[in-house]
Amino acid sequence: MEFPDLGKHCSEKTCKRLDFLPLKCDACKQDFCKDHFTCAAHKCPFAFEKNVQVPVCPLCNNPVPVRKGEIPDMVVGEHIDRDCNYHRKTEKIFTYRCSKEGCKKKEMLRVACDQCRGSFCIRHRHPLDHSCKHGGRPIGAAGCTAARASESKPSGASNTLSSSWLAQRLRWRVKR
């Protein structure tokens, strides 16, 4: 061998492999091969010194100190009960009240009418349901259905076909 001092033997008693790139354990400062460099693999007696985990409060995101022998979940629970500085926000979830007379329902998201721009509940969201008279003449039931169908379909050939079909269908009804 040209380089007899190159590399080190694994410090694990059962291995003793000659490794040219040995890894040093952070806790016990001994050299190990790639198979035994973790604390669990070589049963490191000083692993407890490096295995320090500090739990974080889920509400205030502050670290909670834990002494040896204490259960982290219990300590965090006590912190939440006593020392936590988290103040719960009392925001209202259902803030959009229906504009229809006599209806007291509230919605989480604003459901606006395209014609009168009023905020309505799910039950009164369509112009016919809340007696909408803004934006010209009120749309009939068939017109609402046709408008909804044309909005839901993508623009293109299929939309042109459906609108021409609807126009022919309406002309046929008028002729009858």
Side-chain angles (χ1 to χ4, degrees):
M1 265 180 97
E2 292 183 26
F3 303 106
D5 297 332
L6 188 62
K8 293 187 180 180
H9 288 279
C10 180
S11 297
E12 177 65 29
K13 294 173 189 165
T14 59
C15 182
K16 298 293 184 191
R17 178 189 292 170
L18 179 62
D19 197 343
F20 296 106
L21 293 172
L23 300 164
K24 189 172 277 200
C25 176
D26 290 340
C28 64
K29 308 293 185 213
Q30 293 182 353
D31 295 316
F32 294 97
C33 65
K34 66 178 178 100
D35 297 330
H36 298 109
F37 79 95
T38 61
C39 291
H42 68 269
K43 297 180 183 122
C44 185
F46 301 103
F48 69 91
E49 293 176 1
K50 292 293 178 179
N51 190 12
V52 178
Q53 295 179 352
V54 178
V56 177
C57 176
L59 300 177
C60 65
N61 289 329
N62 289 333
V64 180
V66 179
R67 295 185 191 110
K68 280 189 179 179
E70 290 182 326
I71 301 170
D73 291 338
M74 298 295 289
V75 176
V76 171
E78 290 173 10
H79 163 79
I80 290 172
D81 292 341
R82 289 191 217 143
D83 306 326
C84 191
N85 295 328
Y86 177 77
H87 299 289
R88 291 188 177 148
K89 296 176 183 175
T90 56
E91 293 179 10
K92 293 181 179 179
I93 296 174
F94 295 95
T95 55
Y96 298 101
R97 188 170 183 184
C98 182
S99 300
K100 170 94 171 153
E101 280 186 45
C103 183
K104 295 183 180 181
K105 282 197 167 196
K106 295 180 181 179
E107 296 294 331
M108 290 173 56
L109 300 172
R110 186 167 192 266
V111 181
C113 175
D114 291 334
Q115 295 177 359
C116 67
R117 304 285 183 227
S119 179
F120 297 97
C121 66
I122 297 295
R123 177 183 254 172
H124 300 116
R125 69 184 182 266
H126 299 296
L128 286 178
D129 295 332
H130 63 264
S131 305
C132 185
K133 291 183 173 65
H134 285 264
R137 62 174 203 250
I139 300 173
C144 282
T145 307
R148 271 188 246 128
S150 66
E151 287 175 1
S152 65
K153 291 182 182 174
S155 62
S158 63
N159 196 10
T160 318
L161 276 174
S162 64
S163 62
S164 64
W165 177 82
L166 181 65
Q168 288 176 359
R169 182 88 174 162
L170 290 174
R171 284 188 205 125
W172 181 75
R173 282 193 177 184
V174 171
K175 288 180 184 177
R176 248 178 121 192

